[in-house]
Amino acid sequence: MPAPATASTDGQLLELFSSIQGEGLLVGCRQIFLRLAGCNLDCAYCDTPFAATANCRVEESPGGGQFISLPNPVALDTLIRIIHSWCRQPSGVHHSISLTGGEPLAQAALLADWLPVLRKLLPTYLETNGTLPQALEPLLPHLDWIAMDIKLASLSGVATPWATHREFLRLAATRDCFVKAVVGEETPLAEVTEAAQLVAGVAPQCELILQPVTREGKPMLTPRQLLDLQGAAARHHPRVRIIPQTHRFIGLL
Ligand code: SF4
């Protein structure tokens, strides 16, 4: 069993590593990934173990692929010391720190303490399921990028929280932001249409990225299906891109 966090500056972490961003608008950028434990959802297609663990995995050197264990909860001082040393090996290679999960906003009190300090090292990039707007709002001044999901019911297995996503995007769009929806063979055109209408209505400057679901390293939709989904969305929002999970093709974390 993981020990409980002892202070808001101690976090339940799963992983700390350096890799390229494989999804979304910053695809290909080198980032330091800080994977936090916990999530408020239970998506049917989830392939990310997010339960808190006794230890977190920390790469011994950035991008080296060898890991050591650190006991949870991890203190901010420890984290800063590691990231600070990574920022010099080699200097300038990292674009930003990706806060990912699970759902990072499930530890919003922790982020309120950590983000202002982390942002002194590198720009901050939040990967989020887009369902906790109240947790997001006070953190906005400390975030540079927000990659927000719209959870489509055809894949998540639960009704899409359209009103909550709308409220979340209204806030997130005050930062550099884009929206991502994972799509599968079973995704009806009506769902991507509704997602496109939401983005067009709330934040027309934001890109909507359709990400084909990947199983065993392969996108599960045909090119025709992807083009049809893009076409349906683009009728309502012209900024629609199809971007698969590229890091899987090249064997990176
Ligand atoms: S929001 Fe992400 S981490 Fe949470 S259950 Fe869904 S896919 Fe998994």
Side-chain angles (χ1 to χ4, degrees):
M1 283 288 289
T6 52
S8 59
T9 50
D10 292 347
Q12 294 288 351
L13 305 185
L14 296 175
E15 288 184 305
L16 178 69
F17 62 94
S18 166
S19 187
I20 64 155
Q21 175 56 253
E23 303 179 357
L25 277 194
L26 293 190
V27 65
C29 290
R30 184 82 173 264
Q31 291 184 315
I32 293 174
F33 289 83
L34 181 55
R35 187 180 301 286
L36 279 72
C39 185
N40 59 317
L41 299 183
D42 185 18
C43 303
Y45 63 85
C46 183
D47 60 359
T48 311
F50 55 75
T53 50
N55 297 297
C56 73
R57 293 187 343 136
V58 177
E59 225 171 16
E60 276 188 301
S61 61
Q66 301 295 317
F67 287 81
I68 59 169
S69 289
L70 278 187
N72 270 315
V74 177
L76 177 59
D77 287 354
T78 305
L79 188 71
I80 292 299
R81 199 172 59 248
I82 297 169
I83 295 178
H84 188 257
S85 76
W86 288 10
C87 287
R88 291 176 296 179
Q89 312 174 33
S91 175
V93 73
H94 291 109
H95 172 279
S96 45
I97 299 172
S98 174
L99 288 307
T100 187
E103 169 51 52
L105 293 177
Q107 296 192 61
L110 172 85
L111 292 181
D113 284 345
W114 282 20
L115 283 173
V117 185
L118 293 173
R119 197 160 177 248
K120 289 179 181 163
L121 299 177
L122 284 170
T124 53
Y125 174 99
L126 175 70
E127 299 195 48
T128 172
N129 62 30
T131 61
L132 296 171
Q134 289 169 345
L136 173 69
E137 190 162 18
L139 303 178
L140 287 171
H142 311 299
L143 291 167
D144 295 289
W145 284 84
I146 299 176
M148 170 197 163
D149 279 0
I150 287 182
K151 294 292 182 187
L152 299 181
S154 58
L155 282 174
S156 71
V158 295
T160 300
W162 293 109
T164 305
H165 279 327
R166 190 170 289 109
E167 173 61 9
F168 194 98
L169 181 56
R170 188 183 65 75
L171 296 167
T174 61
R175 315 305 291 166
D176 280 328
C177 171
F178 66 89
V179 178
K180 183 189 81 191
V182 178
V183 295
E185 293 167 289
E186 58 277 70
T187 301
L189 298 184
E191 263 193 321
V192 294
T193 296
E194 194 160 355
Q197 288 171 330
L198 187 156
V199 179
V202 176
Q205 75 279 17
C206 288
E207 303 284 335
L208 171 61
I209 291 169
L210 305 180
Q211 179 177 296
V213 70
T214 303
R215 295 200 184 98
E216 296 172 7
K218 285 179 58 181
M220 297 308 292
L221 290 87
T222 65
R224 182 72 260 158
Q225 287 172 314
L226 286 168
L227 293 177
D228 286 349
L229 289 168
Q230 186 182 39
R235 274 194 279 280
H236 303 275
H237 183 56
R239 295 171 158 252
V240 184
R241 303 191 199 186
I242 296 171
I243 304 180
Q245 289 181 304
T246 59
H247 54 300
R248 305 230 177 167
F249 299 150
I250 52 179
L252 284 170
L253 289 169

